[in-house]
Amino acid sequence: MSSIIVNPKNYTGHELDTIFFRPLLSGPSAESLGIRILYNMPMPTVVQIWDRQGNVLSPFDQASGWNGGVKSTHYQKTIPMSRVKAENAFSASDYFSTIFELITNRSDVNMEDLSGTELEAAETELFRRSIADSIRMNLWLGDKGGALNTGYTSFDGLLKIVQERVVSGAIANSMTDVSEQLTDYTITELFSKIVNEASPRLKGMYDEGQVAFFVSPSIYNRYEAYLDNSFGAAAYQDTQDGRKQLMYHGFPVIPINLEPAIGNSSLSNEFIIFTDRRNLVMAVNTADSPGSEVRMWYNPDEMENRQRAVFAIGCEILDEELVTAYINVE
C-alpha cells in the first residue's frame, strides 16, 4: 500500500478537464452554488448580452421594404480572472487514515477508478472537495485587496462587488441597512416588498423560474421560524421531516452560510440579494491559463503527501439593474 501512496500524480490538458475540474463544476457540485458557471471559455472571459427594444411585429400588407425598426442593442461584460493555486498537505499517518476512510465508506469499492487504483480515486475526490469548498467561500467572501479581513484574497467575491455597487449607486434597487428594515417589516413583508419593488426587467423574468433570494443564515432562520409558527398539517409535517428547499411565492430562498469567516470580517453578515441566478456568474479556466495543472506527490523530506492545483477564476454581476440588494453597510 505504501508504494502506491508515494506515486506522484499529475493532471494537465484533457485529463485536467475530464478527471478533475469538469466533475467539480457540473452536477450537484455546481447546483449547490446556485449561480451560473462558465467553464473554459476563452480568456479574457467576455459574456455577450443582446437586448431587443421595441416591437418587432408589423402588418404583412405594409408597404414593401425593410421594417426591422430599432436594431438589437449589444452589451458585453468582461469577467475579471485571477490566476490562483490551491495547496493542501497531510502527514503520512493522517493521509492514510483519511484516504482509507473515503475508500471504505464507498458502496462501490471494487469499481474501477480513474487510474485503476482505489487510492488515487479517493485522493482525487478528497482534494476536489477541498477546492469546491474554498471556491464557494471565495465566491462570496473574496477580497483581493485584503482590507475587509475576510481571509479569502484570491479574487473579489460577490458580497464585496454587491456592497461596492450599492454604495456607488450602480445597484439602484437597494437598502443599506437590512437590520433596520427588519424592525419595520416582518420577514414575509420584507420579501414581498422586495418582489414588488424589483425592476420591471427583473419582473419580466419571474416566469422563467430562475429568480431567487440569496440570503444570510440569520434571514433564512427568520423565515424558517415564521414557517414553523404557521399552523396546519403541512407545518406539522415540516416540523417532523425538515425542509429541503424553502420557497417564498415560488422563489427559492437560498441560504449562504459563510460562518465563521464572515463574522470576523468587515462584510455584512445580514443580507438579501434578489436576482436571476444567471445574472451572478463565476468563470473558471484551466485551458487558457498558463501552467494550469493538478499535481499530487509525496515529499519524503517532510514526510507529507502534498496536493496543488493551478487555474484561473473570477466572478461578476452581469447586469446591476436585475439586482435588488438589502445589505448592511457601515
Side-chain angles (χ1 to χ4, degrees):
M1 182 70 72
S2 61
S3 61
I4 299 176
I5 291 178
V6 299
N7 284 343
K9 290 161 281 289
N10 188 26
Y11 301 137
T12 59
H14 180 68
E15 281 188 339
L16 180 65
D17 177 15
T18 59
I19 292 178
F20 203 89
F21 274 96
R22 194 165 295 280
L24 174 67
L25 299 170
S26 61
S29 296
E31 291 173 4
S32 66
L33 293 174
I35 68 170
R36 181 179 177 187
I37 297 177
L38 305 177
Y39 178 53
N40 272 355
M41 290 185 63
M43 291 180 63
T45 301
V46 179
V47 181
Q48 310 294 331
I49 306 170
W50 295 90
D51 189 12
R52 169 73 202 192
Q53 300 292 333
N55 182 20
V56 298
L57 299 181
S58 60
F60 183 75
D61 57 359
Q62 190 170 318
S64 61
W66 176 255
N67 299 300
V70 180
K71 70 177 183 178
S72 298
T73 305
H74 176 223
Y75 304 95
Q76 63 181 26
K77 196 92 174 220
T78 300
I79 301 177
M81 303 285 285
S82 299
R83 194 160 176 255
V84 301
K85 64 178 180 177
E87 295 180 327
N88 204 1
F90 297 90
S91 68
S93 58
D94 290 341
Y95 172 86
F96 180 78
S97 61
T98 304
I99 294 297
F100 189 73
E101 181 181 359
L102 282 178
I103 294 173
T104 55
N105 284 342
R106 287 172 52 185
S107 60
D108 57 345
V109 173
N110 293 323
M111 186 183 73
E112 292 186 3
D113 64 359
L114 304 176
S115 67
T117 68
E118 295 287 348
L119 187 65
E120 185 174 340
E123 182 181 13
T124 300
E125 178 61 22
L126 179 66
F127 194 28
R128 201 156 43 203
R129 290 181 190 178
S130 299
I131 292 178
D133 187 61
S134 292
I135 285 177
R136 182 185 68 84
M137 295 295 282
N138 275 280
L139 171 66
W140 291 97
L141 289 180
D143 171 30
K144 198 168 184 178
L148 298 177
N149 196 35
T150 65
Y152 295 89
T153 57
S154 296
F155 59 96
D156 285 340
L158 291 173
L159 279 182
K160 179 182 179 180
I161 294 171
V162 167
Q163 185 166 297
E164 288 180 344
R165 295 181 189 176
V166 165
V167 173
S168 69
I171 297 178
N173 297 319
S174 63
M175 189 66 64
T176 58
D177 194 340
V178 65
S179 300
E180 185 176 309
Q181 292 293 303
L182 288 168
T183 63
D184 297 331
Y185 301 93
T186 65
I187 187 62
T188 54
E189 289 173 341
L190 189 56
F191 281 171
S192 180
K193 181 175 184 288
I194 290 172
V195 171
N196 293 333
E197 294 181 357
S199 68
R201 287 184 57 208
L202 184 58
K203 288 181 178 178
M205 303 170 76
Y206 285 177
D207 291 341
E208 297 179 23
Q210 296 294 324
V211 179
F213 290 94
F214 296 87
V215 303
S216 60
S218 60
I219 300 295
Y220 187 87
N221 292 339
R222 279 176 180 262
Y223 184 48
E224 190 164 43
Y226 163 82
L227 296 175
D228 287 341
N229 291 328
S230 301
F231 297 98
Y236 174 80
Q237 195 63 43
D238 286 344
T239 303
Q240 299 293 312
D241 302 334
R243 304 177 181 91
K244 294 183 179 179
Q245 172 70 74
L246 297 191
M247 308 284 286
Y248 177 76
H249 288 189
F251 300 107
V253 180
I254 302 171
I256 310 299
N257 187 2
L258 305 172
E259 296 294 349
I262 194 171
N264 300 321
S265 74
S266 301
L267 285 171
S268 171
N269 57 6
E270 276 196 315
F271 57 86
I272 304 172
I273 299 171
F274 185 61
T275 189
D276 191 290
R277 295 173 185 261
R278 298 163 295 187
N279 192 39
L280 305 179
V281 177
M282 181 183 74
V284 177
N285 192 291
T286 62
D288 297 335
S289 178
S292 293
E293 66 171 358
V294 171
R295 183 184 298 272
M296 305 179 198
W297 74 99
Y298 179 71
N299 184 316
D301 293 335
E302 301 293 335
M303 297 184 67
E304 285 183 339
N305 284 83
R306 295 182 173 180
Q307 304 166 323
R308 176 186 292 136
V310 179
F311 55 99
I313 189 170
C315 64
E316 182 58 282
I317 298 172
L318 297 183
D319 191 340
E320 289 83 359
E321 188 181 345
L322 300 180
V323 178
T324 297
Y326 280 31
I327 188 168
N328 290 334
V329 176
E330 296 180 359

